[in-house]
């Protein structure tokens, strides 16, 4: 057994040296320190390079059809009351959506940006018992089973196929009926029972001097189009018009459409996605000096497919944007913030290699 161990011992290429033969020098110490630092640096750099992911992108023709586009937004208007701020959308197919309320939240804010109230559009209006019926009586006076059908105050539409009269059950529906008839809306809004019940005028008065933060999402057809925020309520007619609250016309500050874009994106977020309009370094704040005008953002949307190393796929969009401002007082139009977008026929596929 000792002979076998001796044979292995003879194969040792690094024989040990006795301590009395060691000679430590300053030069050797310096070389040891320098070489150790170099080895640590090389190890860290190689490890960081190994852990760093590099995205590979390729361009493909977008052949998808019948898809929808999600638009996420969070915008603050420090000089516009929430009751007067409306959102409308239209695309090149002719599909229009006016005074959008679904998935839209509004926050009333003061001049310091403090949130006073948050509510979803169309929710929270006061309810008054026994509303006025179109036939002149009050709901609940005689027949408890009677359904509410509010008067349109002379702007009723023709009887439908089922022989039913058109009802105006809200202040907004009365306004829409007047616009369709191309009639001027009464100056005393409280004379309209629906407006009086909903506290339309009082709600506008209560928001005097306030601003509004509006946030939410839109789901629209994946075609070119535009959507906009304006100081008034738009109604679908032969030509799109805006019905501005008569009380607000006494205060020219409500025409100041100055705004700050906090967040703005198309689709879901994925690692590395940069949205130009919600960059932390560029707040896109418009000042009160040029607030009375039309702000236009022209956006080019590029469909994007992102796939990570685990095979998880995210369908989203990138975009680029340019801005333009025009003075509404020169054109005689209503101030607003317009977002015009176009869809690129080329999509980007971003992959993380394994």
């Amino acid at each position: 057994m000792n002979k076998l161990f001796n044979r292995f011992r003879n194969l040792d290429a690094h024989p040990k040296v006795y301590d009395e033969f060691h000679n430590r020098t300053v030069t050797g110490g310096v070389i040891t320190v320098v070489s150790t630092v170099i080895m640590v640096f090389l190890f860290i750099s190689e490890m960081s390079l190994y852990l760093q992911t590099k995205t590979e992108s390729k361009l493909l023709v977008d052949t998808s059809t019948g898809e929808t586009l999600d638009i996420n937004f969070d915008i603050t208007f420090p000089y516009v009351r929430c009751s007067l701020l409306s959102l409308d959308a239209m695309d090149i197919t002719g599909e229009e959506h006016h005074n959008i309320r679904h998935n839209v939240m509004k926050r009333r804010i003061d001049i310091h940006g403090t949130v006073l109230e948050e509510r979803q559009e169309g929710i929270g209006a006061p309810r008054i018992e026994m509303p006025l019926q179109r036939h002149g009586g009050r709901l609940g006076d005689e027949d408890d089973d009677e359904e509410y059908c509010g008067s349109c105050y002379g702007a009723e539409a023709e009887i439908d196929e089922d022989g039913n009269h058109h009802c105006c059950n809200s202040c907004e529906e009365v306004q829409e009926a007047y616009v369709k008839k191309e009639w001027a809306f009464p100056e005393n809004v409280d004379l309209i029972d629906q407006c009086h019940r909903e506290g339309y005028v009082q709600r506008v008065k209560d928001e005097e001097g306030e601003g509004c933060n509006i946030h939410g999402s839109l789901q629209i057809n994946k075609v070119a189009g535009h959507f906009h925020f304006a100081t008034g309520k738009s109604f679908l007619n032969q030509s799109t018009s805006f019905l501005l609250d008569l009380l607000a016309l006494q205060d020219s500050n409500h025409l100041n459409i100055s705004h700050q874009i906090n967040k703005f994106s198309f689709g879901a977020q994925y690692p590395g996605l940069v949205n130009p309009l919600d960059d932390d370094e560029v707040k896109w704040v418009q000042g009160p000096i040029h607030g009375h005008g039309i702000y236009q953002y022209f956006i080019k949307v590029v469909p994007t497919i992102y796939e990570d190393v685990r095979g998880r796929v995210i369908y989203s969009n990138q975009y680029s944007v340019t801005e333009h401002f025009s003075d509404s007082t020169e054109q005689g139009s209503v101030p607003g913030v317009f977002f015009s977008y176009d869809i690129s026929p080329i999509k980007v596929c971003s992959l993380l290699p394994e």
Side-chain angles (χ1 to χ4, degrees):
M1 183 65 68
N2 292 333
K3 293 182 179 180
L4 180 62
F5 287 154
N6 290 333
R7 290 180 180 178
F8 279 110
R9 190 178 296 110
N10 293 332
L11 296 176
D12 187 3
H14 305 282
K16 301 298 183 291
V17 180
Y18 293 107
D19 291 339
E20 54 266 23
F21 297 111
H22 287 172
N23 185 17
R24 303 179 184 274
T25 63
V26 176
T27 304
V30 173
I31 294 175
T32 301
V33 172
V34 173
S35 60
T36 303
V37 171
I38 293 176
M39 286 187 292
V40 172
F41 172 75
L42 292 176
F43 174 80
I44 294 176
S45 60
E46 289 295 326
M47 181 62 68
S48 62
L49 184 61
Y50 173 76
L51 297 177
Q52 184 179 2
T53 57
K54 182 179 180 181
T55 304
E56 296 181 356
S57 299
K58 58 182 179 180
L59 302 179
L60 299 174
V61 176
D62 189 4
T63 58
S64 60
T65 58
E67 295 185 352
T68 57
L69 185 65
D70 293 327
I71 303 177
N72 309 305
F73 58 87
D74 184 346
I75 305 176
T76 300
F77 297 86
Y79 303 102
V80 181
R81 313 177 194 190
C82 284
S83 58
L84 297 180
L85 187 62
S86 66
L87 171 60
D88 308 283
M90 182 176 65
D91 58 39
I92 60 174
T93 65
E95 183 173 339
E96 300 184 6
H97 301 276
H98 296 269
N99 197 21
I100 299 173
R101 298 183 176 185
H102 185 65
N103 289 336
V104 176
M105 299 289 292
K106 287 184 179 180
R107 295 192 186 107
R108 294 171 54 190
I109 59 175
D110 59 17
I111 58 176
H112 304 293
T114 304
V115 177
L116 304 176
E117 180 189 13
E118 180 176 5
R119 68 171 183 267
Q120 186 173 355
E121 272 288 80
I123 298 178
R127 181 178 180 179
I128 306 299
E129 298 298 330
M130 300 177 63
L132 184 66
Q133 294 280 59
R134 67 181 305 275
H135 54 65
R138 289 282 178 180
L139 181 64
D141 281 345
E142 299 177 357
D143 187 0
D144 292 337
D145 296 331
E146 184 181 11
E147 294 184 358
Y148 175 53
C149 180
S151 172
C152 296
Y153 296 86
E156 287 88 351
E158 298 180 356
I159 300 176
D160 58 22
E161 298 178 355
D162 298 330
N164 299 322
H165 291 276
H166 178 74
C167 301
C168 295
N169 296 339
S170 66
C171 183
E172 180 177 322
E173 290 181 358
V174 177
Q175 294 173 343
E176 290 177 347
Y178 268 70
V179 170
K180 290 179 180 179
K181 288 284 188 178
E182 298 184 354
W183 292 357
F185 203 67
E187 293 186 5
N188 189 354
V189 183
D190 277 339
L191 294 178
I192 307 299
D193 182 68
Q194 292 88 330
C195 299
H196 177 72
R197 289 190 296 107
E198 296 174 6
Y200 184 78
V201 175
Q202 187 60 43
R203 186 166 69 249
V204 177
K205 289 181 179 179
D206 292 342
E207 296 179 5
E208 183 177 0
E210 296 179 2
C212 187
N213 170 263
I214 182 170
H215 63 281
S217 61
L218 297 175
Q219 188 175 69
I220 56 181
N221 296 327
K222 192 176 177 181
V223 295
H226 76 270
F227 65 97
H228 58 266
F229 301 88
T231 56
K233 294 186 177 180
S234 64
F235 297 93
L236 181 60
N237 200 0
Q238 294 178 353
S239 60
T240 303
S241 60
F242 287 85
L243 180 63
L244 294 178
D245 187 88
L246 298 177
L247 176 64
L249 291 176
Q250 301 173 4
D251 179 16
S252 60
N253 195 45
H254 84 285
L255 296 175
N256 190 338
I257 202 70
S258 300
H259 59 284
Q260 174 175 314
I261 300 177
N262 305 311
K263 292 183 179 180
F264 191 89
S265 63
F266 291 85
Q269 188 77 16
Y270 64 84
L273 176 62
V274 177
N275 297 314
L277 287 178
D278 59 14
D279 191 346
D280 292 337
E281 298 180 358
V282 183
K283 284 298 184 182
W284 293 78
V285 178
Q286 308 297 341
I289 298 178
H290 300 293
H292 298 67
I294 298 176
Y295 294 94
Q296 293 176 294
Y297 296 93
F298 300 95
I299 302 173
K300 192 70 172 181
V301 181
V302 181
T304 303
I305 301 176
Y306 176 85
E307 183 178 355
D308 59 16
V309 293
R310 297 180 179 178
R312 184 169 60 101
V313 178
I314 300 176
Y315 295 90
S316 185
N317 301 274
Q318 305 178 66
Y319 69 89
S320 60
V321 60
T322 56
E323 176 197 8
H324 176 71
F325 171 80
S326 59
D327 191 349
S328 64
T329 58
E330 299 177 357
Q331 302 177 0
S333 56
V334 177
V337 179
F338 292 77
F339 295 87
S340 299
Y341 57 90
D342 191 13
I343 311 298
S344 173
I346 303 297
K347 66 180 177 182
V348 177
C349 294
S350 299
L351 306 176
L352 291 179
E354 297 181 356

